[in-house]
Amino acid sequence: MTNEPTSAGNRKLRYAIIGAGMAGILAGVRLRARGENDFVIYEKGASVGGTWRENRYPGLTCDVPAHAYTYSFAPNPDWSAFYAGGPEIQAYFQRIVTQYGLDDAIRFETEVVACEYDDESGQWRITTGSGETDVVDVVIAASGVLHHPNVPDLPGLASFAGEAFHSARWPDNLDLDGRRVGVIGNGSTGVQIVTALSTQCEKVVHFQRSPQWIMPVPFFTYSDEERQAFRDDPELIEAIRNGEDYWAGIRRFNTALVDTNSPEMAEIEAIVLRNLEESVRDPVLREKLRPDYRAACKRLIYSWSYYDAVQRPTVEVERSGIAEVTTDGVIAGDGTFHALDVLVLATGFKADRFIRPTRVTRRGGVDLDQIWARRPKAYMAISIPELPNFFMLNGPTGPVGNFSLIDIAERQWAYIEHLLDRLRDDAREISVSEEAMEAYEVRRIAAAKTTIFGSGCTSWYLDAEGVPASWPWSYQAFADAMEAPDLTQYDVRIRADLPRPA
Ligand code: NAP
């Protein structure tokens, strides 16, 4: 039962968590840890894991160190390598769901199509694709960022007779042995796919509209002895995920992102330039791979083997664009024909969707599409004006870059917990005020334009007006901001059933 008169501090809340990916699982675990069980995790897919369920392409790896891309409350001594592969990460999330007893809380294949706030009851009405409804006090939007594939409108694409698919729709049991594969797209995904296929296929053509700077990183697997040592001594894991080395690296990288003239940025530029100059032997190929924008303007590619891969005789880099897709291949911009059996569209995602197309409305007609007409925005990446008791994990304008999104979501959850405490206590409604949202956006946009992401390249980090849609300050500033909300920035409406202060 919800919204029954209770004394301050005792209000029991019912929650809808949207998405059973990394962030939704986190929310479920955290609520359970408080003894709160009145929640449902709505999941449009048939299993958990979000991005790790959707992406099953060869070479899928998380380029954040595995021990840092792990919940703080559930270290995993069994990671097989410094950077873990997709299937292993997916198995980790599945294991956490079972270990924390969340299986029964998840409604699979149940897409939330509408969330409507009722001003009278102060509750959200949730409607699913099959027309079922639920009434909750709080919505946690944990629906992820990169889950709407961007499928390019290439001339002739529909005529291709072989398999053509987006990288996040990799077909089961696709046999690539001895086949000729075209990979369109050169983000983290395309680079990982080309690297993996370079030793597997007869031929791989990497269509790069823009080349990428490549940050060389070490890759190593953990031996049985090392994994046993992690099991025996959790401090060894702690030393990786919270060690000075790791955080010093994050701080240096973050300083570079927000201060484009810093020595830290110069160091990154020197490393990636040296990597290109020293790793790619053929001068013609080297020039093809040389970006004309600054390092880290697009999300920096971390790779230990891409330059090796593109120098294999199986791989060809095509930089002249795509004139046309034909039934049996691709005609490049310079007229070269590439005969292909398979076409992989590693062309990224529509990054401005977030919870949409779910219709999020408030009685009186305000909806998320209107609020986000110009650009997606959320105060501290969490709260949206006019949408009370609706909180986002990894919402718009959060930190982006080569960081652990798990760490980011955990910090955001800690912040949301403070807001929930007010709802458990004396508040009926909490949402950021219009004034606070606008002031935040003015400050954020001004700072975002000066970050490296705004230094002159295209990327999914930019909004429709070309402004980086990111947290533009330091990681430490983000960590500090997540310590506790400044409630003066929020519209907090106190419950009517509580005695008025004398
Ligand atoms: P992405 O970074 O957005 O890259 C998309 C690529 O497709 C770009 O090279 C883009 O070229 C190209 N492209 C788009 N439309 C095209 C068109 N019409 N014709 C030709 N080329 C086109 O997408 P992503 O590689 O899937 O990566 C998205 C994000 O997912 C990453 O930035 C990262 O945050 C995350 N990710 C992380 C990991 C990890 O290891 N942690 C791995 C994979 C993905 P332009 O650059 O010229 O626009």
Side-chain angles (χ1 to χ4, degrees):
M1 298 285 278
T2 54
N3 263 15
E4 286 196 331
T6 54
S7 56
N10 285 337
R11 186 178 168 208
K12 300 268 182 288
L13 301 171
R14 178 169 171 76
Y15 306 81
I17 299 167
I18 303 177
M22 173 277 287
I25 296 169
L26 167 71
V29 169
R30 289 301 200 205
L31 288 176
R32 278 276 152 87
R34 294 182 50 95
E36 291 197 75
N37 293 303
D38 198 6
F39 63 86
V40 177
I41 304 178
Y42 290 97
E43 170 51 58
K44 68 180 176 186
S47 55
V48 302
T51 198
W52 303 104
R53 176 198 63 217
E54 302 277 290
N55 287 284
R56 287 168 291 114
Y57 59 77
L60 174 63
T61 309
C62 180
D63 63 10
V64 174
H67 285 294
Y69 192 79
T70 308
Y71 295 120
S72 58
F73 52 84
N76 177 22
D78 296 321
W79 290 123
S80 65
F82 186 66
Y83 295 113
E88 197 179 358
I89 297 171
Q90 169 69 353
Y92 169 78
F93 286 122
Q94 183 59 68
R95 203 161 63 242
I96 296 296
V97 165
T98 303
Q99 191 177 330
Y100 286 82
L102 290 177
D103 286 290
D104 292 347
I106 304 174
R107 296 279 311 278
F108 288 110
E109 298 183 305
T110 308
E111 184 168 8
V112 173
V113 295
C115 303
E116 296 158 277
Y117 187 72
D118 180 349
D119 288 285
E120 251 163 53
S121 66
Q123 290 178 304
W124 286 94
R125 184 185 176 86
I126 305 296
T127 307
T128 70
S130 63
E132 282 178 81
T133 58
D134 187 2
V135 174
V136 301
D137 302 297
V138 176
V139 176
I140 303 294
S143 47
V145 186
L146 301 175
H147 55 126
H148 295 289
N150 171 43
V151 177
D153 187 16
L154 299 172
L157 182 56
S159 71
F160 186 66
E163 286 110 326
F165 49 85
H166 187 270
S167 54
R169 299 287 180 269
W170 200 271
D172 288 332
N173 308 318
L174 179 69
D175 185 5
L176 290 170
D177 275 359
R179 302 185 80 189
R180 299 161 303 176
V181 183
V183 178
I184 301 175
N186 190 28
S188 303
T189 302
V191 164
Q192 290 184 349
I193 292 173
V194 168
T195 304
L197 299 191
S198 68
T199 51
Q200 202 184 335
C201 298
E202 183 181 310
K203 183 180 173 72
V204 183
V205 182
H206 195 183
F207 294 90
Q208 302 191 359
R209 189 164 64 183
S210 324
Q212 287 270 16
W213 290 110
I214 308 282
M215 172 61 75
V217 287
F219 177 81
F220 48 89
T221 54
Y222 292 121
S223 64
D224 289 346
E225 291 72 29
E226 283 170 309
R227 287 198 290 270
Q228 188 58 47
F230 286 136
R231 258 174 246 127
D232 293 342
D233 183 1
E235 283 301 313
L236 295 176
I237 296 178
E238 200 46 27
I240 297 175
R241 63 174 288 130
N242 272 328
E244 189 39 39
D245 275 3
Y246 177 67
W247 282 104
I250 296 278
R251 278 195 299 274
R252 274 200 310 277
F253 182 66
N254 189 249
T255 300
L257 299 186
V258 301
D259 181 355
T260 58
N261 295 318
S262 58
E264 288 82 353
M265 189 70 233
E267 189 188 348
I268 289 176
E269 288 176 326
I271 293 172
V272 296
L273 181 61
R274 193 165 61 238
N275 191 26
L276 175 67
E277 301 291 359
E278 292 180 359
S279 306
V280 183
R281 293 178 299 276
D282 172 9
V284 176
L285 179 60
R286 198 185 307 137
E287 291 320 301
K288 277 187 178 178
L289 295 171
R290 189 185 302 275
D292 62 359
Y293 56 87
R294 294 187 69 183
C297 183
K298 294 174 190 280
R299 185 179 188 274
L300 199 53
I301 309 281
Y302 283 12
S303 178
W304 49 95
S305 47
Y306 177 70
Y307 283 152
D308 291 339
V310 284
Q311 293 178 90
R312 294 200 173 103
T314 44
V315 179
E316 187 172 339
V317 172
E318 178 55 78
R319 283 288 324 283
S320 73
I322 294 172
E324 191 186 345
V325 181
T326 65
T327 53
D328 54 353
V330 168
I331 302 172
D334 66 1
T336 307
F337 175 69
H338 298 281
L340 299 169
D341 307 305
V342 177
L343 201 49
V344 180
L345 307 172
T347 41
F349 299 84
K350 294 171 182 156
D352 65 342
R353 303 281 83 202
F354 295 95
I355 191 175
R356 296 178 291 178
T358 301
R359 229 173 41 254
V360 182
T361 55
R362 179 177 182 148
R363 222 176 55 160
V366 185
D367 76 13
L368 197 53
D369 275 335
Q370 285 170 274
I371 298 170
W372 284 358
R374 188 158 179 198
R375 55 166 60 91
K377 57 185 178 182
Y379 179 70
M380 298 285 167
I382 286 174
S383 181
I384 300 167
E386 297 292 332
L387 302 182
N389 313 343
F390 178 102
F391 307 120
M392 303 192 79
L393 287 168
N394 290 317
T397 75
V400 293
N402 300 64
F403 305 123
S404 167
L405 273 186
I406 297 187
D407 182 64
I408 290 166
E410 288 197 8
R411 291 177 195 276
Q412 290 174 329
W413 183 261
Y415 179 104
I416 291 171
E417 270 290 355
H418 289 279
L419 300 174
L420 296 178
D421 276 342
R422 276 307 293 269
L423 292 173
R424 293 174 185 123
D425 188 20
D426 62 349
R428 168 193 150 108
E429 288 189 358
I430 299 184
S431 57
V432 67
S433 72
E434 287 282 6
E435 302 72 42
M437 180 77 252
E438 285 321 306
Y440 169 86
E441 274 293 86
V442 167
R443 278 196 312 123
R444 187 195 67 76
I445 288 170
K449 286 177 175 169
T450 70
T451 62
I452 195 71
F453 307 134
S455 66
C457 68
T458 57
S459 82
W460 70 266
Y461 288 167
L462 303 181
D463 67 23
E465 294 179 21
V467 177
S470 59
W471 178 266
W473 303 290
S474 71
Y475 202 83
Q476 189 56 47
F478 169 73
D480 293 346
M482 292 299 104
E483 286 286 319
D486 172 1
L487 285 173
T488 63
Q489 305 297 298
Y490 282 81
D491 286 333
V492 181
R493 281 175 57 189
I494 302 300
R495 285 162 48 191
D497 60 308
L498 291 177
R500 302 241 158 243

